[in-house]
């Protein structure tokens, strides 16, 4: 974490859904690593959550993007 951000506040539970998503959808049942980075950039706080899981297939990405587009239309 960028030490200049230690005194900054963020909304309660902002990290929980991001880390849970990385745990359940990124790692699954595999052993792995979840990394959280918090950095200052152009006056903003950037929060990055990464994992070393297998990720999604191209089909899964397409399905999710298609669902988002349909949801925006309705």
């Amino acid at each position: 974490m960028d030490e200049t951000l230690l005194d900054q506040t963020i909304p309660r539970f902002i990290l929980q859904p991001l880390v849970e998503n990385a745990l359940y959808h990124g790692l699954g049942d595999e052993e792995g690593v979840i990394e959280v980075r918090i950095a200052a950039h152009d006056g903003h706080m950037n929060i990055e959550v990464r994992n070393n899981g297998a990720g999604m297939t191209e089909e899964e990405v397409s399905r999710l993007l298609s669902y988002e587009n349909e949801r925006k239309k309705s």
Side-chain angles (χ1 to χ4, degrees):
M1 177 168 182
D2 185 328
E3 290 186 13
T4 63
L5 298 172
L6 288 175
D7 292 330
Q8 297 295 315
T9 58
I10 60 173
R12 191 181 301 250
F13 301 120
I14 196 81
L15 288 176
Q16 179 182 349
L18 298 173
V19 173
E20 281 183 4
N21 188 58
L23 176 65
Y24 295 118
H25 301 291
L27 298 180
D29 293 334
E30 304 170 24
E31 290 186 28
V33 175
I34 295 175
E35 183 178 281
V36 178
R37 293 181 182 202
I38 303 174
H41 182 72
D42 292 334
H44 293 54
M45 178 188 299
N46 286 350
I47 300 173
E48 178 181 7
V49 179
R50 303 180 79 176
N51 65 67
N52 64 345
M56 294 188 288
T57 65
E58 289 295 323
E59 292 81 22
E60 290 172 311
V61 172
S62 294
R63 184 177 47 81
L64 288 173
L65 292 175
S66 174
Y67 173 77
E68 283 298 315
N69 287 334
E70 289 301 316
R71 209 174 92 195
K72 287 177 186 176
K73 290 178 187 176
S74 60

